[in-house]
Amino acid sequence: GSVSRVDVARRRDTCVLWFDGGSMQSRTIPPEQLLTPRIVEDFSTSSTSLPYVLKPCRRALVIASSGGKQVRVALRWGAEHVTAVEVDPAVCELVTNELDGWLDGMFRRPEVELHNVEGRSFLRHSGGLYDVIQLESAYSAEMLCPGAAGTFDSYLTTVEAFGEYLDHLTPHGILFVCQAHPVRLFATALEALEARGIDPDGHVRERSHMNVAL
């Protein structure tokens, strides 16, 4: 595609998208009737479910929705409307065509909107407010193990980006970010809150080694 090469393969009971030879990856989650006990357990224990465990959600925004794992989790936890934003047109084509049957038409459901646009650009033009804004990196194990992923800065995880996310949260909304460089991510979250005169104490939660929820 114009953004990256995307390979698709089955792995155990899921379908995986590999980007540019495996530097990044995204896992899809099959529909309810195909869920295995392992995947059902994953809904309760994986970090992806964390914002929905912390707070019931009506409207969710998933930035870099890729194969739709976060979208499926949001729906599973009762989100009434999910906005999925994906910058890569090849991925949007895959999930709405070749993988549409595997996903059981998830991206065509009336409560799901898929937008082929860059995440921050979408926010600037949408004007919407969300109970959950979720952004997860898709670095593969091959990038994470040697620490290579931590050397990359992302336009989606700057102080300015965090400010834009906070502007589009409901009063008690949650910003959930999972990224490969936890120290930098945590420091960025603190700086974004302090820049707005918000005391970070009580507003930032960290789970495991990659996740920050505001």
Side-chain angles (χ1 to χ4, degrees):
S2 59
V3 176
S4 60
R5 168 177 169 163
V6 184
D7 294 294
V8 183
R10 288 292 296 272
R11 175 194 267 178
R12 297 177 67 182
D13 47 11
T14 65
C15 185
V16 181
L17 278 61
W18 280 298
F19 297 90
D20 293 328
S23 62
M24 304 185 79
Q25 66 181 21
S26 176
R27 183 163 64 103
T28 67
I29 301 294
E32 294 288 328
Q33 62 269 25
L34 297 178
L35 292 181
T36 65
R38 184 182 70 86
I39 295 179
V40 172
E41 176 67 19
D42 191 46
F43 278 117
S44 300
T45 60
S46 75
S47 61
T48 301
S49 298
L50 178 60
Y52 308 101
V53 173
L54 293 174
K55 181 180 182 296
C57 170
R58 291 184 61 251
R59 291 173 53 84
L61 171 64
V62 177
I63 297 177
S65 59
S66 195
K69 174 185 176 182
Q70 292 78 24
V71 175
R72 180 75 74 193
V73 169
L75 293 172
R76 174 85 175 178
W77 281 92
E80 297 177 13
H81 190 275
V82 182
T83 302
V85 177
E86 172 54 52
V87 70
D88 193 333
V91 173
C92 294
E93 180 73 16
L94 276 171
V95 299
T96 55
N97 288 279
E98 287 90 341
L99 295 179
D100 181 66
W102 167 254
L103 295 170
D104 198 28
M106 181 176 69
F107 284 97
R108 293 186 289 103
R109 291 173 58 165
E111 65 269 39
V112 177
E113 291 182 33
L114 175 61
H115 297 268
N116 179 204
V117 65
E118 190 278 322
R120 289 177 63 181
S121 177
F122 173 82
L123 276 177
R124 293 191 192 114
H125 294 92
S126 71
L129 296 178
Y130 303 92
D131 300 304
V132 170
I133 296 178
Q134 188 164 18
L135 168 64
E136 297 193 29
S137 70
Y139 292 113
S140 66
E142 288 74 15
M143 290 286 283
L144 291 173
C145 289
T151 64
F152 290 93
D153 288 313
S154 173
Y155 179 68
L156 292 171
T157 54
T158 63
V159 172
E160 294 77 16
F162 272 63
E164 292 178 3
Y165 303 146
L166 293 173
D167 285 339
H168 289 83
L169 286 174
T170 56
H172 300 287
I174 294 174
L175 168 62
F176 179 80
V177 183
C178 179
Q179 201 242 7
H181 199 293
V183 175
R184 181 183 302 166
L185 182 64
F186 200 79
T188 301
L190 295 180
E191 186 175 347
L193 290 173
E194 290 171 346
R196 291 166 173 264
I198 301 174
D199 183 358
D201 185 31
H203 287 274
V204 181
R205 302 189 189 189
E206 182 179 11
R207 175 178 176 180
S208 77
H209 62 288
M210 292 175 61
N211 315 312
V212 170
L214 278 69

